[in-house]
Amino acid sequence: MPFSHLHPAEELKPDDVCAFLFAGTGSAGVPDLPALARTGRAAARAVADVLDAVQEGLPRAGWPSLRSILLEDPGAYRAAARAPGVAQLTGYAASVAVDRVLRTAGVHPGHVVGQSFGEIAALVSAGAFAITDGARMAVSLVGVLTRRGRGGGLALLEAGEDGARACIEAAAAPQVVVACLNAPSVTVVSGPDGPLEEVLDAARGRGVRTVRLAVPYLSHHPAMAGADDEWYTMIRRFPQRPLELPVHSPVRGRAYRDGDDLHRALADCIVKPVRLPQTLRAVHEAGATVFTEAGAGNALCQCARLTLPGARTLTPLRDRPPGPRPGPPAPAARPRA
């Protein structure tokens, strides 16, 4: 159920329970925050407040104005996004903005799910961390991943986990691992550039559709051991607050509890795999009736529909349509890492 007018409460039944889904990185889509802000004064204020809070968490040098590239002059986004970390931080900002705008429209989550990088925004949504601290965590995470995971990347295979492993075996590339099971028939693999390309060649040879994701580093890979501890040390200083909502982790395979060290849980995402289908099923069994994309596009809603046939979904913020701007066009929305 897409809604361009953003009156989502009208799309819902009185007894509906929404699960907000926060996607990870891997899409070059441009979040259309101007359209979101135009839906009303409360929405415009929510978007601006989120961008200001995220901006406060960014280093003062070397980062663009988020208000400029996402609201005032979105045509400048693609050039700005060539700098490391900008796409990831704008994705984080868009996720939190959608979360806040939905609440102003009368839609409040009963559950939240974060996928990979999206776990930061999910925990912010649940009140465990402040928006600005979440931005600081995201900045430092990009730095660690870029430095420790360079020379590798992620790719999506339209195959189940067994099919993805068969492609890895066919390529004789044990350095490549299953990073994320996004849906029963959608798997993301992670590995060094050369072996990763060999796996993609092997997959295409077997008739499997593939796409190299716009993530220029390893993640969810055992070779990143040590990077998780480094990032954990960096983010421990940010205060953890009580959870206001159930946050279901596809890495831990359960909902977080207030007694959990959520800084450690976030750091685990650097090394451990993501298994989204079992989490979506658990959220559905816990009472969620509508899955809502808290961010641009509809990648995780696609995952929900593939995992739970007939699942009802809401997709409030589409990617900005490609236009006559410099840079490559955005790929079609796909479940991602």
Side-chain angles (χ1 to χ4, degrees), residues 115-216:
Q115 179 210 34
S116 187
F117 197 91
E119 284 216 19
I120 300 174
L123 288 168
V124 168
S125 172
F129 298 108
I131 295 174
T132 298
D133 284 346
R136 293 178 177 127
M137 291 180 182
V139 169
S140 61
L141 176 56
V142 170
V144 170
L145 291 174
T146 301
R147 179 165 38 82
R148 299 285 293 261
R150 64 181 179 273
L154 302 173
L156 181 146
L157 279 63
E158 292 190 1
E161 184 171 0
D162 289 344
R165 293 190 188 281
C167 294
I168 293 170
E169 292 176 6
Q175 309 97 317
V176 177
V177 302
V178 170
C180 307
L181 182 61
N182 284 357
S185 58
V186 181
T187 306
V188 173
V189 295
S190 175
D193 288 331
L196 186 61
E197 290 298 329
E198 292 171 4
V199 170
L200 295 184
D201 288 342
R204 296 182 193 110
R206 300 165 76 93
V208 175
R209 293 180 61 187
T210 69
V211 62
R212 181 72 182 260
L213 298 180
V215 180

Side-chain angles (χ1 to χ4, degrees), residues 16-192:
D16 272 330
V17 177
C18 284
F20 282 14
L21 310 179
F22 295 85
T25 58
S27 170
V30 184
D32 196 357
L33 293 190
L36 195 65
R38 286 194 297 269
T39 58
R41 290 185 179 180
R45 173 45 53 195
V47 171
D49 287 348
V50 167
L51 293 181
D52 288 347
V54 174
Q55 192 78 46
E56 185 180 343
L58 304 184
R60 297 195 179 277
W63 286 83
S65 162
L66 297 186
R67 278 215 193 201
S68 176
I69 65 171
L70 291 177
L71 278 181
E72 298 161 4
D73 183 20
Y77 170 86
R78 292 193 183 277
R82 294 191 181 102
V86 171
Q88 288 85 351
L89 266 294
T90 55
Y92 167 76
S95 288
V96 179
V98 170
D99 173 86
R100 295 304 192 260
V101 169
L102 286 170
R103 293 171 192 248
T104 69
V107 179
H108 298 270
H111 305 267
V112 297
V113 177
Q115 179 210 34
S116 187
F117 197 91
E119 284 216 19
I120 300 174
L123 288 168
V124 168
S125 172
F129 298 108
I131 295 174
T132 298
D133 284 346
R136 293 178 177 127
M137 291 180 182
V139 169
S140 61
L141 176 56
V142 170
V144 170
L145 291 174
T146 301
R147 179 165 38 82
R148 299 285 293 261
R150 64 181 179 273
L154 302 173
L156 181 146
L157 279 63
E158 292 190 1
E161 184 171 0
D162 289 344
R165 293 190 188 281
C167 294
I168 293 170
E169 292 176 6
Q175 309 97 317
V176 177
V177 302
V178 170
C180 307
L181 182 61
N182 284 357
S185 58
V186 181
T187 306
V188 173
V189 295
S190 175

